[in-house]
Amino acid sequence: MRAWIATHRRAFVASAVVIALVGGVGVWVFQHNRVDCSTLQAESFTDANTLSQACDADVEVLAERTPWQTSYATAGNAARLEVTTLPSRVLVDGVWTELDASLVANDDEGTIDVVAPVFPMELNAGGLEGRGRPLGTITKDGHRLEVWFPIDLPVPEVSDTQAVYTLGEGIRLLVSVNVDATGFLPVVELVDADAATRFTAMLDDTRAKYGSKSSGLELDFKVAVSDGLTLSIDGESAVHAIDQAGDTQFLATPPIMWDSTGHELPVEASATEVGLTDRTRSPAEGDQVAAMSVSLDETTIVVSPDSALLQNPNTVWPIYIDPGFGTQTPSKWVAVRNGGYTGTLINWGDISGSMLGQGTGYCSSASSCNTIFYQRLAWQFSGLSGLAGLVGSDVTAATFNVDGQHSYNCTDQTTTLYRMSDIAGYGTGANWNNLGLLQSLGSRAEFHSNSCGNRGFRGFDALAGAQWAANNDSSVLTLGLVVGEGSMTPWKRFRADANLVVDYNRAPD
C-alpha cells in the first residue's frame, strides 16, 4: 500500500461507523475519503498531522510560515522547525516568492524599488522626479519609515543591489540594500580632504536654507514614521522607531566611519584566509574604523563624523561614513575579534553574488589577513516559540547547518559547535570577552578548501543546545563555531546563511 501511495501520491482513509443492527448482526459501513498527497501543505498543525499520517510524508504548516521559519508535521507523528538566518522566502503581493534584493526603476511611481524584499522598500529616483522625496522608505506590517538625505540627489547609477549618486567631484552617496533585504545602507564616500571640504560647503548651503544647527561634516537625516511610532535612542547609539507595545519596528543602526588603510584583498577565494569585503558597504580588513556619535533632535538623526580620523595624518583616503536603516529581524550573526582587530562585524554580508563568508580561528599570516588576530563566528536564532514551554526530552533532534567555503589546507581539522552567550541589543556590544562559550555541542573534522574541494553545507549536532532552550523556556538560541586557535592551520571560513533544524514532540491541540 505504501509503495502505491509513494508512486501515485494519493491515499484513501477509511472511517467505520455502526449504522444498524440487523438480525442481531452488526453491520459496519466504510466510507472512503480520498486524500490528495500531491501538495504536502495544510493550514493548521491538526490538518497537517492528519495529512502527514495519510500520506506518510512531512507536511508544511502554512499558518506558521514566515520569511525565516518553516514548520512541519512529520510522518513520524512529531513536528519539525526550520529557522534560517537569511530569509528563505518573502511575501510579495500575497504570494510567497524567492528573495531578490536587486534594484529596479519603477517609472509609474518615480522611485527605485527593491524587486522582492522582506518588506517593501524604495529609494529616491533622483533628479526632478526625486526632488523633495525621501532617500529611502520601508513599509512593514502597516508601519512606514521615511528617511531624507540633507542634499538634493541626482539621478543615480543603479547596479544590482546598489544605487550610486554622484554629488560632486570626489563625493558619492552609495546606497546598498542589505544582504537580507530588510533595510538599506547609505554610505558617503569622500575621495580626499578637498572632497570633504567641498561636501561641507554643500551641507552649509542646505543648512542655511533650513536653519539646521549642525556644522562641518555632520549629517542630518530627517525621519518620518507612521502614526503610533515614536523615536528613541539607546545606549548603543541605535535609533529605534517603537510601537505602542514597546516593540522596535524600525532601526537606525549605530553608525561607523572607516578609511582605506587595509590593502586590497585578492579576488580569488583561494587566495585569502578572510572573506572578501566591498568597502562601499563595510570596512575592509585593516581599515581604520571609528564609531560616530549620534543625537536625536526631535525627528532628525544627527550623525557626527569622528574628527580624529578625519585629521589623522595616517588616514588613507577615501573615507566612508554610514548610518544604516532597517528592521528588527529574528536572526542576527556576528564575527568577534581579538588581537590585531578588535571590532565586531554585525550581520556581516558578502560581496554581491559571491557569499564567501568570514573566517574563524587564529589568522597569523599577515599576507592573507593584513594583521594577526583571532576571530569567532556566532549566529543567534530567536522566535523559537515551538521550543519555549517544552521540556528537553520533547526535543528529539537538532542540527545546525552551515556552508564551509575555505580551509587553510587540505588536512582534516576539527570545528566545534558551541552554545554561546546571547548577542545583546543590536550587536555592537558583542565582543571577544562577552560572547562566552557556554556548552560544547558537537564537532566535525574535515576540510573544505576551494582548491581541494569538499565545500558546501555541513550539519553539526545541536541537540543539547535545543534541549537547553526547551528546559529553560527560551525562544532564543545562540550558536558559534570555534576551531583550534594555537596556529593558523585549523583556520576555516563559513558563509552567513546558516540554518537550524529541530525535531520535537508537539503537544496535541
Side-chain angles (χ1 to χ4, degrees):
M1 181 64 175
R2 287 193 174 185
W4 189 90
I5 292 174
T7 303
H8 298 277
R9 308 301 298 163
R10 297 278 173 180
F12 292 89
V13 180
S15 59
V17 183
V18 178
I19 61 170
L21 286 174
V22 181
V25 179
V27 179
W28 293 83
V29 177
F30 292 85
Q31 180 182 0
H32 295 275
N33 301 311
R34 199 171 193 182
V35 178
D36 185 357
C37 296
S38 62
T39 302
L40 297 175
Q41 297 175 335
E43 191 62 29
S44 68
F45 256 113
T46 300
D47 292 341
N49 188 64
T50 300
L51 186 60
S52 69
Q53 302 316 302
C55 299
D56 193 25
D58 296 348
V59 176
E60 183 186 356
V61 184
L62 295 178
E64 303 292 321
R65 177 187 280 190
T66 77
W68 295 271
Q69 295 192 15
T70 308
S71 293
Y72 297 91
T74 69
N77 206 26
R80 175 175 297 120
L81 174 66
E82 297 181 3
V83 189
T84 58
T85 50
L86 299 181
S88 57
R89 66 180 77 83
V90 296
L91 193 61
V92 178
D93 296 329
V95 178
W96 288 103
T97 187
E98 184 178 353
L99 181 147
D100 187 345
S102 302
L103 293 167
V104 63
N106 185 338
D107 295 332
D108 292 337
E109 297 295 330
T111 58
I112 299 172
D113 296 350
V114 182
V115 174
V118 177
F119 309 109
M121 272 190 291
E122 58 189 43
L123 301 180
N124 195 300
L128 292 176
E129 194 74 53
R131 190 68 53 86
R133 293 190 175 189
L135 166 64
T137 68
I138 307 173
T139 304
K140 175 192 176 188
D141 301 333
H143 300 293
R144 186 172 175 87
L145 170 74
E146 299 179 339
V147 179
W148 277 262
F149 192 70
I151 295 174
D152 288 335
L153 299 170
V155 175
E157 294 183 10
V158 176
S159 176
D160 194 18
T161 62
Q162 189 176 74
V164 179
Y165 304 83
T166 301
L167 305 179
E169 183 184 353
I171 309 167
R172 298 194 301 171
L173 172 66
L174 309 109
V175 184
S176 306
V177 181
N178 294 354
V179 65
D180 59 356
T182 61
F184 59 92
L185 177 73
V187 174
V188 175
E189 178 191 65
L190 302 173
V191 72
D192 54 29
D194 289 339
T197 301
R198 290 191 294 272
F199 186 50
T200 300
M202 296 171 66
L203 292 172
D204 285 339
D205 288 343
T206 300
R207 288 190 277 250
K209 295 178 183 177
Y210 300 105
S212 170
K213 300 175 184 177
S214 301
S215 61
L217 281 178
E218 289 183 329
L219 297 174
D220 294 348
F221 290 91
K222 177 185 171 185
V223 175
V225 293
S226 51
D227 291 342
L229 299 182
T230 57
L231 298 176
S232 65
I233 189 168
D234 68 16
E236 295 183 10
S237 296
V239 177
H240 299 251
I242 301 174
D243 63 20
Q244 295 175 340
D247 297 326
T248 296
Q249 295 297 330
F250 301 104
L251 185 74
T253 56
I256 60 173
M257 60 184 295
W258 60 94
D259 77 342
S260 303
T261 298
H263 64 254
E264 294 268 340
L265 293 174
V267 174
E268 290 299 324
S270 59
T272 178
E273 310 303 340
V274 295
L276 299 181
T277 302
D278 180 351
R279 191 175 274 134
T280 67
R281 302 171 191 253
S282 63
E285 306 292 346
D287 290 349
Q288 296 185 79
V289 180
M292 295 187 288
S293 62
V294 180
S295 61
L296 184 61
D297 183 6
E298 294 183 351
T299 59
T300 299
I301 299 172
V302 182
V303 177
S304 302
D306 182 74
S307 58
L309 183 57
L310 289 169
Q311 299 167 10
N312 188 340
N314 295 322
T315 294
V316 178
W317 300 76
I319 65 167
Y320 299 86
I321 304 169
D322 87 349
F325 300 91
T327 59
Q328 288 277 43
T329 66
S331 298
K332 65 182 75 170
W333 57 98
V334 297
V336 293
R337 298 162 165 179
N338 192 23
Y341 296 127
T342 55
T344 297
L345 297 178
I346 305 165
N347 284 15
W348 41 271
D350 303 280
I351 254 182
S352 181
S354 67
M355 293 295 287
L356 293 174
Q358 284 293 332
T360 182
Y362 176 47
C363 204
S364 60
S365 171
S367 62
S368 296
C369 314
N370 284 351
T371 188
I372 297 173
F373 70 104
Y374 298 87
Q375 183 162 285
R376 291 173 180 170
L377 308 178
W379 292 259
Q380 180 169 299
F381 301 91
S382 62
L384 305 179
S385 57
L387 301 185
L390 300 178
V391 296
S393 59
D394 290 328
V395 181
T396 58
T399 304
F400 172 73
N401 299 292
V402 63
D403 197 337
Q405 287 292 294
H406 179 79
S407 56
Y408 180 74
N409 57 29
C410 301
T411 302
D412 289 345
Q413 298 289 338
T414 299
T415 305
T416 301
L417 180 71
Y418 280 86
R419 180 171 63 84
M420 303 184 79
S421 306
D422 289 343
I423 302 169
Y426 172 67
T428 53
N431 58 52
W432 184 270
N433 295 320
N434 64 24
L435 201 62
L437 307 180
L438 303 181
Q439 181 183 12
S440 175
L441 302 178
S443 300
R444 294 181 64 103
E446 61 195 335
F447 64 86
H448 33 71
S449 167
N450 184 55
S451 57
C452 306
N454 199 36
R455 297 167 72 181
F457 275 92
R458 297 292 182 270
F460 288 81
D461 185 358
L463 175 59
Q467 289 178 330
W468 171 90
N471 282 328
N472 290 272
D473 198 22
S474 176
S475 63
V476 178
L477 180 62
T478 302
L479 303 173
L481 294 177
V482 177
V483 301
E485 295 169 347
S487 70
M488 182 82 190
T489 305
W491 179 274
K492 294 178 183 176
R493 190 171 64 239
F494 298 90
R495 290 182 9 170
D497 54 341
N499 65 75
L500 175 66
V501 181
V502 181
D503 291 331
Y504 62 99
N505 292 318
R506 178 179 172 274
D509 289 338

